């Protein structure tokens, strides 16, 4: 009989690339993971890992066994999320990943409502960029993610995941109130060519969205400051040292010294949605959280699709 815990350890090694990485995700020591792998090899009579330099690789049979393991884990998860769960009583732990502005604008209000109405359901929240969030859902490290999809920077969703739309968010260019563009009702990319920018770090999706604004003009924006926190962006604009592209979702009230101007041709929009594994489609916890997030999104002063 194959031990499910040992099979889960092999799947984790395959997904995360090493025994050490698998141990970090599963919350065990590397030696404990290694013991689980040895147990699996003894139970099956086949070698599932082989040394490769300072790391390990899955053997051909190890890869096949991990494939079966993923399917078995998925069926167990679906069983727990449906037949073994009370649809009228969401409970247990839901691990949620969301980008920072969604944490402020959507997840925060949801946490308060769930705590009041469904105290048996606990939720942990990790703030991460959508690409990392999607990977955590795909690998089983979390159950639900709130992600965004810029009209200029599409987000890739693996086949084993479900994506549901929540709302449309729009980004404005923020300028100091003394800026020559401050009184404008809208701006186009050509109007922004000579500006000094603050941006999220290179490689972040919002940074790529900023770069894409100027892609058709053959110029890269003059980014002098990189910071992951949009609150810092607003402060820098207020101090008159840069302009910024800041979404409306989760954006605090702007200071008197900052003006928000919509960008047109193209409008800077992103689709905000949720991602979860297909095996969790009928989960009472997922359905409750998604429906509540959708209700909260509908209450916000955001563009309507």
């Amino acid at each position: 009989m194959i031990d499910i815990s040992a099979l889960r350890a092999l799947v984790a090694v395959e997904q995360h690339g090493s025994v050490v990485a698998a141990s970090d995700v599963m919350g065990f020591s590397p030696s404990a993971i290694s013991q689980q792998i040895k147990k699996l090899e003894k139970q099956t009579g086949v070698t599932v890992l082989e040394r490769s330099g300072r790391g390990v690789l899955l053997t051909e049979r190890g890869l096949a066994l991990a494939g079966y393991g993923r399917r078995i884990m998925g069926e167990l998860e679906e069983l727990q999320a449906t037949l073994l769960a009370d649809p009228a009583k969401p409970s247990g732990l839901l691990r949620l990943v969301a980008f920072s502005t969604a944490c402020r604008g959507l997840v925060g209000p949801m946490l308060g409502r769930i705590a009041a109405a469904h105290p048996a359901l606990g939720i942990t929240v990790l703030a991460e960029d959508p690409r990392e969030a999607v990977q955590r859902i795909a690998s089983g490290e979390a159950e639900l993610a709130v992600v965004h999809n810029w009209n200029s920077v599409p987000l890739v969703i693996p086949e084993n995941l479900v994506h549901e739309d929540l709302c449309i968010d729009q980004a404005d260019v923020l300028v100091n109130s003394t800026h020559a563009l401050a009184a404008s009702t809208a701006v186009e990319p050509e109007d922004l060519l000579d500006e000094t920018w603050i941006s999220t770090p290179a490689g972040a999706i919002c940074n790529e969205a900023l770069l894409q604004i100027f892609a058709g003009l053959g110029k890269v924006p003059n980014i002098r400051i990189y910071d992951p926190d949009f609150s810092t962006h607003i402060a820098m604009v207020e101090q008159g040292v840069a302009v910024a592209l800041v979404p409306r979702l989760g954006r605090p009230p702007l200071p008197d010294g900052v003006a928000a101007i919509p960008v047109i041709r193209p409008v800077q929009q992103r689709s905000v949605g949720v991602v979860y594994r297909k095996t969790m489609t009928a989960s009472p916890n997922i359905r409750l959280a998604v429906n509540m997030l959708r209700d909260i999104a509908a209450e916000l002063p955001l563009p309507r699709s």
Side-chain angles (χ1 to χ4, degrees):
M1 179 71 70
I2 295 177
D3 186 272
I4 292 296
S5 297
L7 192 58
R8 184 175 283 111
L10 178 65
V11 171
V13 172
E14 182 206 24
Q15 290 177 330
H16 301 286
S18 70
V19 170
V20 173
S23 69
D24 289 340
V25 171
M26 297 186 69
F28 298 111
S29 67
S31 61
I33 298 297
S34 296
Q35 288 299 318
Q36 290 291 338
I37 297 298
K38 290 178 181 178
K39 180 194 296 185
L40 185 62
E41 290 180 328
K42 183 177 180 180
Q43 291 172 337
T44 60
V46 301
T47 300
V48 298
L49 294 182
E50 60 184 7
R51 287 286 177 186
S52 177
R54 300 179 66 179
V56 294
L57 293 174
L58 270 70
T59 64
E60 182 177 358
R61 289 190 174 186
L63 287 170
L65 189 56
Y68 281 110
R70 287 195 306 276
R71 291 194 290 275
I72 292 170
M73 296 302 109
E75 290 175 357
L76 285 174
E77 182 175 71
E78 189 170 10
L79 173 65
Q80 293 172 337
T82 53
L83 295 179
L84 301 183
D86 186 345
K89 297 179 180 179
S91 61
L93 179 66
L94 178 66
R95 298 171 296 177
L96 187 149
V97 188
F99 56 97
S100 60
T101 51
C103 286
R104 293 196 292 270
L106 295 172
V107 176
M110 182 197 73
L111 292 177
R113 296 184 189 187
I114 285 183
H118 302 277
L121 176 59
I123 300 180
T124 63
V125 181
L126 175 65
E128 277 195 325
D129 214 40
R131 291 186 183 120
E132 287 73 24
V134 166
Q135 289 305 310
R136 287 190 184 275
I137 301 302
S139 66
E141 296 175 62
E143 287 73 51
L144 182 66
V146 183
V147 299
H148 61 67
N149 216 341
W150 284 94
N151 50 6
S152 57
V153 188
L155 182 67
V156 178
I157 306 296
E159 291 185 358
N160 66 319
L161 305 187
V162 175
H163 178 272
E164 292 187 36
D165 289 327
L166 292 178
C167 60
I168 298 295
D169 188 20
Q170 186 167 321
D172 301 306
V173 170
L174 304 188
V175 301
N176 187 274
S177 57
T178 62
H179 194 285
L181 296 173
S184 303
T185 56
V187 291
E188 299 182 27
E190 290 86 346
D191 302 321
L192 304 168
L193 283 172
D194 298 323
E195 299 299 333
T196 298
W197 292 84
I198 178 172
S199 168
T200 52
I205 294 180
C206 289
N207 168 262
E208 293 185 18
L210 174 59
L211 296 177
Q212 283 297 323
I213 292 178
F214 302 96
L217 301 177
K219 188 171 181 179
V220 176
N222 180 23
I223 301 173
R224 295 290 184 87
I225 307 167
Y226 292 91
D227 191 286
D229 191 342
F230 284 121
S231 296
T232 303
H233 295 207
I234 295 171
M236 291 291 184
V237 172
E238 184 181 19
Q239 292 159 18
V241 298
V243 303
L245 182 71
V246 179
R248 296 176 185 176
L249 176 63
R251 191 170 75 194
L254 297 176
D256 291 338
V258 175
I261 312 167
V263 183
I264 59 174
R265 288 194 277 273
V267 174
Q268 294 303 301
Q269 288 188 332
R270 59 183 183 174
S271 171
V272 178
V274 291
V275 172
Y276 52 87
R277 289 181 295 283
K278 290 180 179 178
T279 53
M280 300 291 286
T281 299
S283 163
N285 294 350
I286 295 292
R287 298 297 359 134
L288 172 68
V290 171
N291 291 336
M292 199 168 286
L293 286 167
R294 185 171 285 112
D295 290 343
I296 293 168
E299 299 167 4
L300 298 175
L302 297 173
R304 298 304 166 199
S305 57

